[in-house]
Amino acid sequence: MITDLGYIALVISLLVCVYAIATSLLGARRNDERLVQSGRNAAKLVFPLVLVACIGLWYALITFDFGVIYVADVSSKATPLFYRITALWGSQGGSILFWNLLMSAFIFVAMLRNWSEDKDLLPYVTAVACLIAGFFIFINLSSANPFLRFDFPPADGRGLNPLLRHPGMIIHPPMLYAGYTSFIIPFAFLIASLAVGRRDNLWLIKSRRWTLVGWAFLASGLLLGGRWAHDVLGWGGYWGWDPSENMPFVSWLFATAFLHSAMIQEKRGMFKNWNVLLMAFTFVSIFFGTSFIRSGLLTSVHAFAKSNLGPLFLGFMVLILGGTILLWFSRLDTLHSENKLDSWFSREGIFLLQNVLFVSTAITIFLGTIFPTITEAINGVKITVGPPFYNQVAGPQLIILVLLMGVAPLLAWRKASARALGKMSLIPAVISLIAFVLILVGSGQVIPSLLLVLCLYTFVQTCLEYIRGVRARVNSAGESIPVALLHLVQRNQRRYGGYLIHIGIVLIAVGAIGKGFYGTDVLRNVKLNDSFTVGSYTFTYRGIASVPCEFNDCQSVEAALLTTSSRDGSIIGGVYPHRDQFPAQQETSTIADITGSFNEEVYVILAGWENNGTTASFQVYINPLINWIWTGGIVLILGFLLAFWQMEPSTAIRTVPIARMVGSPSK
Amino acid sequence: MKPKFIIGIGIVIVAVIAVMGFAVAGNSSMEVQVNDVVAQRLQGVDLSQRVLKLTGVVVGDSIVYEPSSLHLEFDVVNSREDLVGSPAKTPRLRVVYQGVRPDTLVNEAHAIVTGKLSADGKFYAGQAQDSLMLQCPTKYQSAQTASR
């Protein structure tokens, strides 16, 4: 009953979307405030209706209603309550419903805000947001309906896939979906601004917070997905250049380019057309990625079943992209640049270069991902490119971007001074040079040493931005260092939050370089009480034993290994990798145990055993610096929170006298 | 926009395209299905020189895994329907993989194997970490009849 009510609520939500679009557009056309407000109120109603739909499906999941196909697919009598709740996004239909919940929640919040400053945009924002939300609700009611019932209900369900029972997998999809869906608001603002024909930066300023939120959610989703893959898939890695990873990464790269490029439009009134395109690319790439992954068009480890979603998604995407481009062309006269780019050697110049690199990285990853589809269309043969392609193509571009992060803040607007840049680069350059020699002597590998030093340069340069600011306050206001730091950050949280994000990115880059260049893995088959050595660790196999499983529908076998230092024989501790067997799903889950240090993770998995454990096989991965990735992720989120908090929307465009900017680094 | 910026952007784009070209040439593999490989082999086409990305469905009772040597072999067929029909007549390929048996290697799992076809007719997966992939969690969709 409650489940059926959920379905009915979803049907009504689609009708409400249609009503909101019609009244908003009619209201804008007739300049009728009452109709516009009616559309706005209707848009607010979509969220509670989709919430009722979700409650309906949750109710079915919680009460073991296996008559509902979706419930039988993702849960069973043995599935604990927590996982029955999170099973809402465990498969196609439910995950689109959850997507709709998040999307409608963002629309709800956007509709609640104060629209007095930008009243003319409201009807178009409402119409665009409801058009997109309505499309996804339509998908949920047609091709991916989680409320469908069996003719003859089974006695028990299949149970949630064991691989999905991990905190990272519980949080990763909501994060990624929140990232994806929150871009509906800035995109709606863009379309509204083009539709109205506004010449100012209002859409950009009003949607900045939304863009930053979407960006941070996408980043968190990608990092949590990596962490889940690392912990659960038993492969020691975190990133495999799979289409399901590449597509959100491409959207994230476009969004990052937009966030930087938007700064130039705000400060100098430039890159207006470029920003329109970047927001359109970000949003369309989300659509494209979702349609490709969900429709099974691309061969991915994370593919959903082949479904008929592809043409629907692609058709709607073409409509969105075509509509945006047409609208943009018709408004080219409103998007004239207020200033000209004078020199490559300036803040704007570096931002342009960095933008080109962000976009080229995104496009190369995108082309690599859809390469099989392109080649199939040309000559009927699917040609795939593997991880080495991405490492060779995207790797160099990403490392240049890391370097630019360090250089860009030093350059003045319009035209920078080489002398000033040289002076400010002296300390980081000397530190980097010394570090390069030390790392090279220690590792003997030139390329990773060089890459790590580029990261170090950017790190030092970014830290110096804080140090210079603090020193200036200490000298001018006589504040103590902690107080000066606090006031410095408080005065410009957006800027210093941004720098903190840069530090987070540097840490992630260091982790990726460490794992990619210095990582090793070894497979060993050992007899009971025999030892084997990997790197500076010696492992002695002490046998296997059945242990209680974390879940009530599995059996677990754990191996015990004593770890000692291969240098001095000192005991490091025990390692207990285990394998969980799930009879109902006929699946096994290999769970690694991790030892080592912060800088050198030792990841051990139990690959198999024979004769009740008289011999067993282990795979050991040495992952240097991998923990820097997770630490970098936390720093990145802290930086986001810092930048987000102060971003009070303001339509006032700051103007700085040009004469003061020339040749001096901006403060 | 001044010509120097257009030239600068052009240089970046040309460099990226050049790197892409080299990377594609060195790292590409041809996607094939079991039926394609079997048919081409019967026609005498030599596929042994090309890196192939083979997709197929795992035949559960053909899986042989030796934990001591980490040697894994299994058969793949073209589609799930082939497993239901008359398996004896269905074209199949033997896949050989050296490494830990993936948890998701079960009957009917969708396998993606990157490697080469050997003269002995077996398909040898490469050494790279992603040379044997099995489609994961969200793929499972019910094929049973539904009504509303």
Side-chain angles (χ1 to χ4, degrees), chain A residues 69 91 147 149 151 235 300-301 305 342 344 364 381-382 384 387-388 392 523 525 586 588 590 617 619, chain B residues 4 16 20 27-31 53 67-68 70 100 103 106 129-130 133 135-136 140-142 146-148:
Chain A
I69 298 176
S91 197
F147 294 100
R149 286 186 179 276
D151 289 333
W235 62 309
S300 153
V301 280
D342 297 308
W344 271 117
T364 44
V381 180
K382 278 189 176 182
T384 310
Q392 287 167 20
L523 263 168
N525 181 256
Q586 293 183 321
T588 310
T590 304
S617 303
Q619 188 151 23
Chain B
K4 63 180 172 185
V16 170
M20 262 186 85
N27 299 301
S28 61
S29 53
M30 190 165 81
E31 265 189 43
K53 190 170 185 176
S68 58
L70 299 166
V100 179
D103 298 331
V106 289
Q129 205 153 34
D130 63 338
M133 299 193 296
Q135 277 194 339
C136 87
Y140 297 111
Q141 297 280 309
S142 177
S147 69
R148 164 153 274 286

Side-chain angles (χ1 to χ4, degrees), chain A residues 142-163:
Chain A
S142 53
S143 309
N145 187 344
F147 294 100
L148 290 177
R149 286 186 179 276
F150 283 113
D151 289 333
F152 304 101
D156 199 358
R158 271 192 243 217
L160 187 65
N161 190 301
L163 294 175

Side-chain angles (χ1 to χ4, degrees), chain A residues 359-641:
Chain A
V359 171
S360 66
T361 310
I363 290 175
T364 44
I365 294 171
F366 176 73
L367 287 177
T369 312
I370 63 158
F371 202 65
T373 314
I374 299 172
T375 54
E376 192 181 28
I378 294 170
N379 60 8
V381 180
K382 278 189 176 182
I383 307 284
T384 310
V385 290
F389 166 85
Y390 298 102
N391 292 336
Q392 287 167 20
V393 178
Q397 297 184 74
L398 290 171
I399 199 71
I400 295 171
L401 281 168
V402 169
L403 180 65
L404 291 182
M405 267 182 353
V407 177
L410 304 179
L411 298 181
W413 298 97
R414 290 202 63 186
K415 189 160 177 33
S417 142
R419 231 180 101 196
L421 179 67
K423 205 174 148 195
M424 284 190 287
S425 288
L426 190 66
I427 296 171
V430 169
I431 293 173
S432 303
L433 201 65
I434 295 167
F436 177 69
V437 174
L438 291 175
I439 300 170
L440 187 62
V441 169
S443 71
Q445 293 185 52
V446 179
I447 292 176
S449 308
L450 195 64
L451 298 179
L452 285 174
V453 163
L454 289 180
C455 292
L456 179 69
Y457 172 84
T458 297
F459 178 77
V460 174
Q461 203 62 275
T462 312
C463 290
L464 281 175
E465 283 291 312
Y466 282 93
I467 293 169
R468 286 187 200 108
V470 168
R471 193 188 290 159
R473 290 197 72 87
V474 169
N475 290 340
S476 62
E479 294 170 344
S480 66
I481 292 174
V483 173
L485 179 65
L486 189 71
H487 286 165
L488 178 79
V489 173
Q490 267 179 344
R491 275 180 68 88
N492 199 345
Q493 279 182 228
R494 191 176 160 199
R495 182 173 175 196
Y496 289 97
Y499 288 152
L500 201 55
I501 291 173
H502 284 184
I503 290 175
I505 296 285
V506 168
L507 297 179
I508 292 171
V510 169
I513 294 163
K515 162 75 180 151
F517 284 91
Y518 302 118
T520 51
D521 72 282
V522 168
L523 263 168
R524 283 281 184 276
N525 181 256
V526 280
K527 287 182 185 147
L528 200 61
N529 296 320
D530 274 4
S531 300
F532 62 99
T533 298
V534 186
S536 53
Y537 304 88
T538 297
F539 300 92
T540 307
Y541 170 48
R542 295 290 193 210
I544 58 166
S546 288
V547 291
C549 189
E550 191 186 345
F551 306 102
N552 55 6
D553 59 344
C554 67
Q555 293 133 21
S556 192
V557 173
E558 184 179 89
L561 292 153
L562 178 69
T563 316
T564 50
S565 166
S566 61
R567 293 195 185 111
D568 56 15
S570 61
I571 293 174
I572 294 169
V575 186
Y576 307 96
H578 60 100
R579 285 172 76 92
D580 298 337
Q581 286 174 333
F582 295 81
Q585 291 88 3
Q586 293 183 321
E587 284 195 20
T588 310
S589 190
T590 304
I591 308 296
D593 196 16
I594 291 168
T595 181
S597 61
F598 177 78
N599 283 331
E600 190 175 76
E601 179 192 85
V602 181
Y603 181 103
V604 184
I605 62 166
L606 171 62
W609 63 88
E610 283 175 319
N611 305 326
N612 289 326
T614 49
T615 60
S617 303
F618 297 94
Q619 188 151 23
V620 179
Y621 295 86
I622 307 285
N623 296 327
L625 305 176
I626 197 168
N627 287 322
W628 288 50
I629 294 176
W630 321 126
T631 311
I634 294 167
V635 173
L636 185 143
I637 296 305
L638 290 176
F640 152 72
L641 292 173

